[in-house]
C-alpha cells in the first residue's frame, strides 16, 4: 500500500517512536493521522487528531474503532518495559503481566478490533513495533523480551490470518533507540525518525519484516548459527 492519502492510526503517539511515526506519516502525505494515547491532550503535533486510548481497556478500543472508521494503516506502537529479570525480583510476574497486557494482548486486541475497518477500506496494513529483543534477552529486560518474542509470533499469526482480506502485516524490529525508554542505556542508539521512515517504506514495498539497524540485522542472521544469540550467557 501507499502511505500517501492513507489514514493512519498510531498507538502511543504522544512521544518517542510513536511521535516519529506521526511525523513520518504526515511527511509521506497521509490524508489523516490519528494519534492515540492514554492522555489525548499529550498528542500535540499539528495535523494529528488526538484519540484517547489505553490499549489494555476494551471499551476504549471499541470507542476508537467507532470514531475512526476510515483507518487504512494501523501502527501498534504502544509498549512498556518494567526492567525486570525473571528470578531476581518477587515482583517479576506482576511486571510480566503488566508488560504482556500492553505489549502482547494490547496489539492483538487493537488489531482484532480494527481488522473489519481495514477490510472495508481495501485491506490496508498493520505495523507491529517489536524489538531486537524478540530474539535475545538480558536479565534486566527478561520479562520485556518474553513479551516481544510472543508479539513476534503474534505478528506472524496475524499476517497469515489477515492475508485473506488483503491486509499486510509488517513487523518492525529495532535495538536501542534515542527515546525515553532507553534513556538510561549508554552507547549508540537509532534515530526514531529514521526507524519510522524505514517502517513506512517497508509497508510501501510489501516487506514482512523491517530490521531497522545493524544490531538487529546481526541478531536475526545469527538465529540460524550453531551459537544463536539467545543461547549465549550474558557477560558478568
Amino acid at each position: 500500500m501507499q502511505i500517501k492519502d492513507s489514514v493512519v492510526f498510531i498507538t502511543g503517539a504522544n512521544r518517542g517512536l510513536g511521535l516519529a511515526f506521526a511525523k513520518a506519516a504526515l511527511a509521506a502525505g497521509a490524508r489523516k493521522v490519528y494519534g492515540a494515547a492514554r492522555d489525548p491532550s499529550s498528542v500535540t503535533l499539528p495535523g494529528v487528531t488526538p484519540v484517547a486510548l489505553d490499549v489494555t481497556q476494551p471499551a476504549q478500543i471499541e470507542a476508537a474503532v467507532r470514531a475512526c472508521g476510515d483507518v487504512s494503516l494501523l501502527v501498534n506502537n504502544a509498549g512498556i518495559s518494567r526492567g525486570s529479570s525473571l528470578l531476581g525480583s518477587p515482583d517479576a510476574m506482576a511486571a510480566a503481566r503488566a508488560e504482556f497486557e500492553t505489549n502482547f494482548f494490547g496489539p492483538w486486541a487493537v488489531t482484532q478490533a480494527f481488522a473489519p475497518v481495514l477490510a472495508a477500506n481495501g485491506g490496508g496494513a498493520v505495523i507491529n513495533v517489536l524489538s531486537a529483543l524478540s530474539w535475545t534477552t538480558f536479565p534486566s529486560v527478561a520479562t520485556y523480551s518474553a513479551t516481544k518474542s510472543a508479539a513476534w509470533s503474534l505478528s506472524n499469526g496475524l499476517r497469515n490470518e489477515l492475508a485473506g482480506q488483503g491486509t499486510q502485516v509488517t513487523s518492525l524490529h529495532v535495538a536501542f533507540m534515542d527515546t525515553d525508554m532507553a534513556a538510561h542505556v549508554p552507547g549508540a542508539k537509532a534515530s526514531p525518525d529514521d526507524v519510522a521512515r524505514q517502517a513506512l517504506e517497508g509497508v510501501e514495498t510489501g516487506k514482512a519484516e523491517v530490521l531497522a539497524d545493524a544490531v538487529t540485522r546481526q541478531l536475526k542472521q545469527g538465529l540460524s548459527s550453531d551459537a544463536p544469540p539467545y543461547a549465549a550467557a550474558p557477560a558478568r
Side-chain angles (χ1 to χ4, degrees):
M1 68 168 287
Q2 296 299 304
I3 306 304
K4 182 175 174 58
D5 296 324
S6 66
V7 177
V8 184
F9 187 99
I10 305 162
T11 68
N14 55 329
R15 59 193 176 97
L17 182 58
L19 177 58
F21 264 116
K23 293 177 181 176
L26 291 171
R31 177 164 54 88
K32 185 186 294 185
V33 176
Y34 294 108
R38 288 187 175 123
D39 176 8
S41 68
S42 65
V43 178
T44 58
L45 182 67
V48 175
T49 301
V51 177
L53 178 63
D54 179 337
V55 301
T56 69
Q57 299 300 315
Q60 291 190 23
I61 296 173
E62 292 171 8
V65 171
R66 289 194 300 270
C68 307
D70 51 353
V71 169
S72 56
L73 172 59
L74 169 64
V75 182
N76 285 312
N77 166 73
I80 63 170
S81 174
R82 292 290 174 84
S84 178
S85 64
L86 296 174
L87 302 177
S89 167
D91 299 325
M93 288 191 181
R97 288 189 175 98
E99 290 168 333
F100 266 97
E101 286 296 327
T102 298
N103 302 350
F104 177 77
F105 290 107
W108 183 358
V110 173
T111 303
Q112 184 179 50
F114 270 102
V117 172
L118 296 172
N121 293 326
V126 177
I127 297 175
N128 287 327
V129 177
L130 304 181
S131 175
L133 292 170
S134 301
W135 304 315
T136 191
T137 188
F138 303 98
S140 60
V141 287
T143 55
Y144 175 83
S145 298
T147 69
K148 290 301 183 178
S149 292
W152 181 39
S153 182
L154 173 68
S155 268
N156 296 335
L158 290 172
R159 185 178 302 112
N160 293 337
E161 295 192 29
L162 291 172
Q165 69 174 42
T167 300
Q168 172 187 340
V169 176
T170 298
S171 299
L172 169 63
H173 296 265
V174 60
F176 293 119
M177 285 184 292
D178 190 14
T179 64
D180 291 347
M181 185 179 287
H184 64 289
V185 179
K189 300 170 190 174
S191 159
D193 293 329
D194 181 59
V195 171
R197 177 190 56 78
Q198 288 187 60
L200 295 184
E201 288 177 355
V203 168
E204 292 196 321
T205 56
K207 287 186 176 180
E209 288 188 334
V210 173
L211 311 182
D213 54 38
V215 170
T216 302
R217 291 189 287 272
Q218 183 179 7
L219 281 170
K220 180 69 183 295
Q221 186 175 27
L223 293 181
S224 60
S225 73
D226 291 336
Y230 55 79
R236 295 183 181 277

